[in-house]
Amino acid sequence: MIKTTRILILPILILLFATQTVAVDIGMAGAVRRKTRELDTKVLDHKNATVGNTPVVVNSPVTIDEKVEALLAKMTLDEKIGQMTHPDSASLKGREEDIKTYFIGAILSGGNSDTSDNSPVSWADQYNLYQTYATQTRLAIPIIYGIDAVHGHNNVYGAVVFPHNIGLGCTNNETLVEQAAQVTAEEMTGTGINWAYAPCIAVARDERWGRTYESFGETPELVKKLGVAHIKGLQGTDLSQKPNVVACAKHYMGDGGTNQGIDQGDTVLDETSLRAIHLAGYVDAIAAGVKTIMVSYSSWNGIKMHRSQYLLTDVLKNELGFKGFVVSDWDAINQLTGPLSNQIATSINAGVDMVMMSGNYASFINTLRDLVEQGTVSQSRIDDAVRRILKVKYELGLFDNPFEDRNYLSGIGSSAHRDIARQCVRESLVLLKNNNNTLPLAKNINKIIVAGKNADDIGNQCGGWTISWQGDGGAITTGTTILQGIKNIVSTGTTVTYSVDGTGAAGSGADVGIVVIGERPYAEGTGDSETLALDTVDLTAVNNVKNAGIPVIVILVSGRPMILDTVLANASAFVAAWLPGTEGQGVAEVLFGDYNFKGKLSFSWPRSVDQLPLNSGDADYDPLFSYGYGLTYP
Ligand code: BGC
Ligand code: BGC
């Protein structure tokens, strides 16, 4: 460990004030030390000094860049490395003092790292605890705290959960997407958490990919537009004001372009196409002021993004002028070759500024310190990384306001927030078939039978990244299921019965059946699918209701287009509802005609998996439903 000492800075021509002592690294190179002195002269709050007859005005640092330089100049190597260290909250449990010991500058809670009771207050308390340790360090640099608030503040029990991005893509409504992101920022602020790993601006090109639902759509145009809206909603016009939070465009880049849609796979493309399809969103995100960018696990032509100095430094930072910081994905550097020291050196030298890790922060810190002392990672690379991180913290207003503001707690899951999510649901629904105007339904129909495993399941309609990483079926959080939404909207005289497998339809005397089928929750690679086939229980439920001789309305709750098999032919009306989140009432409002359908497909719908990848603009484009398709009521 490099020792620090407190020495007196002696600006040659300026009066010395005994209180102006500053610690500098003894081991620092001469140039760095000179810089330190220059800067510290600025820090002196000494307005009346004179040199000869000329007054020398020395200001306190005023601009953010000056503040960053002044702070950086005071930091030891260990303090700098701490800023680059981004461990998960689960690994800090019971060892929160490590924040102080190691000067940890950034914490996250991964998909499975909820607080023990997962209440908003417990998150706020945890945030404040971390911040207390951070502000007790010598330089009192607050932490930035990241979470996957990707469709609302979705880890937290009772928070509003929005449709996943694929549904927002079908709304094609940037004002609404911005509002949704604002709500997310507000709910995050209630817990203190100030950094969302969102938006995902992947352009998913093959829906076998398990992360397709995190993508707004298959074209860069749509992704750019809604990505920018999302960033604006999270960061606001003045990031230093609450409730604005830091956004993170991810996953840079080509995550949605991998061969066969394999998660974390290889995007095999020439550079012109890579730029046109996958870089475009970042150009606009940077122009919109996005403060952070997360690197993709995937590779480009066999080279892992986490080691691509060309794409991280030459293109992103130098060519595109990205001034924020680059964060690695969860334990992603450990996928690079070699021992830990190689993995760290390679990724940091490529341009990663902050390293996200499930645990093992001590080995990261010790190894990086060794690498700098040996010269394998340069002091200037460290300074560049830390400068970027500190700058974002200043821009966020963290130094002035590090603690959670209880005023925002009551907004979490509020009805005002749910109203916006409900609008997102309504506008995301895509009507793909409507024979003989089966829809809209009259509210005073005598009897309705509802069936299907996704009709009465909040967890299934939220999908992955909800409460836990993979998500889960059942009543995992508060909200309205689609079945409940239907019950809420019909006239008092209408009977609504529910039969999961649809067997209750025969002889029930129902006038119409609504069967809600689709996927169960998954996240990341777990969701990769070679078949995109519907569950046999879904096919059975549709058949059972159909066999009762009544019109069947099928609602597909899924993270992507699926192969529809016999279902489409058996349905009188067919609606793609994507992963709508907690506000199932929005589905009922459109089915029963309070609102018209507005959604248009943000993905081309394949007839079979053999057609994949299938994207608008393909030479032999022959989808079941085209990109942009969507019916409305007359
Ligand atoms: C995912 C990221 C996510 C991170 C933190 C990774 O596995 O790829 O999208 O932000 O975990 O949970
Ligand atoms: C974490 C996620 C993370 C994933 C990556 C999970 O245990 O909770 O946040 O993305 O691991 O493998």
Side-chain angles (χ1 to χ4, degrees):
M1 189 185 190
I2 293 178
K3 273 195 255 141
T4 65
T5 186
R6 294 172 76 79
I7 64 160
L8 295 177
I9 303 295
L10 272 169
I12 312 161
L13 299 169
I14 298 182
L15 290 172
L16 174 71
F17 280 58
T19 49
Q20 302 298 332
T21 62
V22 171
V24 295
D25 285 1
I26 290 285
M28 269 198 293
V32 178
R33 202 179 291 128
R34 268 197 305 283
K35 179 111 192 222
T36 308
R37 291 181 179 181
E38 265 163 43
L39 287 160
D40 277 313
T41 61
K42 285 199 194 162
V43 183
L44 294 179
D45 195 9
H46 171 52
K47 306 254 185 311
N48 303 314
T50 54
V51 177
N53 295 323
T54 320
V56 176
V57 181
V58 186
N59 294 319
S60 304
V62 178
T63 66
I64 283 181
D65 286 335
E66 286 169 353
K67 289 178 183 172
V68 167
E69 293 306 328
L71 183 53
L72 189 69
K74 295 177 191 169
M75 293 172 79
T76 63
L77 179 59
D78 281 342
E79 286 166 337
K80 290 175 182 175
I81 290 174
Q83 291 300 308
M84 300 168 70
T85 309
H86 191 27
D88 183 79
S89 56
S91 69
L92 283 167
K93 207 161 174 56
R95 298 192 252 162
E96 289 83 358
E97 280 211 41
D98 278 0
I99 296 168
K100 241 163 105 173
T101 315
Y102 293 101
F103 310 107
I104 288 169
I107 297 172
L108 84 142
S109 290
N112 287 332
S113 304
D114 295 344
T115 60
S116 47
D117 75 0
N118 200 12
S119 67
V121 176
S122 68
W123 284 96
D125 290 345
Q126 175 169 281
Y127 172 85
N128 281 343
L129 177 72
Y130 293 162
Q131 214 57 289
T132 304
Y133 283 116
T135 52
Q136 282 170 0
T137 56
R138 186 178 73 96
L139 295 170
I141 305 175
I143 53 150
I144 185 167
Y145 192 136
I147 199 162
D148 291 288
V150 297
H151 61 148
H153 197 11
N154 45 62
N155 271 67
V156 179
Y157 185 83
V160 62
V161 177
F162 288 90
H164 268 296
N165 285 352
I166 191 169
L168 296 181
C170 295
T171 73
N172 196 5
N173 183 343
E174 67 257 57
T175 313
L176 187 59
V177 169
E178 185 174 340
Q179 280 174 349
Q182 255 162 26
V183 165
T184 302
E186 242 177 86
E187 299 211 355
M188 287 174 66
T189 300
T191 59
I193 300 178
N194 46 28
W195 180 20
Y197 301 134
C200 175
I201 55 170
V203 182
R205 302 290 284 178
D206 187 326
E207 44 269 40
R208 286 172 288 188
W209 188 34
R211 305 193 80 156
T212 299
Y213 65 79
E214 295 187 61
S215 168
F216 291 114
E218 72 186 26
T219 63
E221 293 72 29
L222 183 63
V223 170
K224 278 196 296 197
K225 178 166 92 171
L226 299 184
V228 164
H230 204 291
I231 291 162
K232 286 188 182 162
L234 290 173
Q235 297 193 347
T237 43
D238 178 356
L239 185 57
S240 71
Q241 298 303 303
K242 287 188 174 169
N244 300 329
V245 299
V246 173
C248 181
K250 71 185 187 185
H251 310 79
Y252 181 82
M253 99 172 121
D255 49 351
T258 60
N259 195 16
Q260 297 175 43
I262 292 168
D263 191 43
Q264 308 189 1
D266 192 11
T267 296
V268 182
L269 267 188
D270 61 84
E271 184 163 348
T272 310
S273 312
L274 180 82
R275 284 174 176 259
I277 300 170
H278 300 286
L279 185 67
Y282 291 91
V283 176
D284 286 34
I286 293 167
V290 73
K291 296 295 173 201
T292 72
I293 290 176
M294 191 188 295
V295 186
S296 180
Y297 283 116
S298 58
S299 304
W300 175 44
N301 294 340
I303 297 188
K304 285 223 171 251
M305 284 300 308
H306 280 82
R307 72 174 175 89
S308 176
Q309 185 162 20
Y310 173 62
L311 292 176
L312 298 181
T313 298
D314 299 351
V315 173
L316 185 62
K317 291 179 175 174
N318 296 341
E319 181 187 323
L320 302 187
F322 175 59
K323 297 282 183 283
F325 68 82
V326 172
V327 63
S328 60
D329 203 342
W330 175 279
D331 290 341
I333 67 163
N334 303 121
Q335 295 185 5
L336 303 179
T337 18
L340 184 64
S341 55
N342 275 27
Q343 298 167 340
I344 296 175
T346 307
S347 54
I348 306 271
N349 285 337
V352 169
D353 299 311
M354 183 188 280
V355 175
M356 189 195 296
M357 57 196 86
S358 57
N360 266 332
Y361 43 88
S363 11
F364 169 79
I365 289 167
N366 293 330
T367 310
L368 181 52
R369 187 194 306 112
D370 289 347
L371 289 166
V372 178
E373 284 169 354
Q374 293 156 17
T376 313
V377 173
S378 69
Q379 180 70 54
S380 65
R381 178 73 266 278
I382 298 289
D383 285 347
D384 172 52
V386 176
R387 207 174 260 130
R388 289 166 178 272
I389 294 164
L390 293 178
K391 184 170 167 138
V392 172
K393 290 185 175 185
Y394 275 111
E395 288 169 331
L396 180 58
L398 255 187
F399 289 85
D400 299 325
N401 234 337
F403 292 98
E404 182 268 344
D405 181 343
R406 301 270 151 168
N407 288 324
Y408 287 97
L409 258 178
S410 61
I412 295 176
S414 70
S415 59
H417 290 177
R418 290 182 190 276
D419 285 349
I420 293 176
R422 202 149 42 86
Q423 185 184 348
C424 292
V425 174
R426 291 193 300 259
E427 297 197 15
S428 68
L429 304 174
V430 183
L431 180 61
L432 294 174
K433 178 177 181 183
N434 193 17
N435 275 8
N436 310 316
N437 296 326
T438 309
L439 292 174
L441 295 171
K443 291 180 184 170
N444 61 358
I445 292 181
N446 194 36
K447 193 161 186 195
I448 302 173
I449 177 125
V450 176
K453 68 171 191 276
N454 286 351
D456 195 26
D457 195 310
I458 282 283
N460 285 4
Q461 77 192 38
C462 287
W465 297 110
T466 313
I467 306 299
S468 61
W469 177 40
Q470 292 292 316
D472 208 351
I476 59 168
T477 190
T478 54
T480 308
T481 66
I482 294 171
L483 174 65
Q484 191 57 51
I486 293 168
K487 286 181 174 168
N488 292 345
I489 210 166
V490 294
S491 312
T492 39
T494 300
T495 313
V496 178
T497 53
Y498 179 47
S499 153
V500 186
D501 64 1
T503 47
S508 68
D511 305 284
V512 68
I514 302 175
V515 191
V516 189
I517 60 171
E519 293 188 300
R520 293 191 172 86
Y522 55 78
E524 301 189 46
T526 317
D528 286 358
S529 165
E530 285 174 19
T531 64
L532 296 177
L534 291 168
D535 271 1
T536 49
V537 295
D538 287 341
L539 302 177
T540 308
V542 173
N543 285 336
N544 287 340
V545 176
K546 169 86 178 166
N547 290 340
I550 49 175
V552 183
I553 295 152
V554 175
I555 299 176
L556 179 69
V557 170
S558 67
R560 50 194 156 182
M562 305 197 64
I563 304 309
L564 294 180
D565 206 290
T566 54
V567 164
L568 188 62
N570 282 339
S572 298
F574 187 95
V575 177
W578 314 113
L579 297 170
T582 49
E583 305 316 304
Q585 192 66 48
V587 176
E589 287 169 342
V590 178
L591 293 183
F592 288 85
D594 285 357
Y595 294 85
N596 204 336
F597 279 93
K598 283 185 84 175
K600 305 289 176 209
L601 288 181
S602 62
F603 282 88
S604 305
W605 203 294
R607 300 170 187 277
S608 71
V609 277
D610 314 329
Q611 284 188 303
L612 298 175
L614 170 68
N615 293 294
S616 104
D618 287 356
D620 48 353
Y621 192 59
D622 180 31
L624 180 59
F625 298 109
S626 299
Y627 178 82
Y629 185 79
L631 303 169
T632 56
Y633 297 144

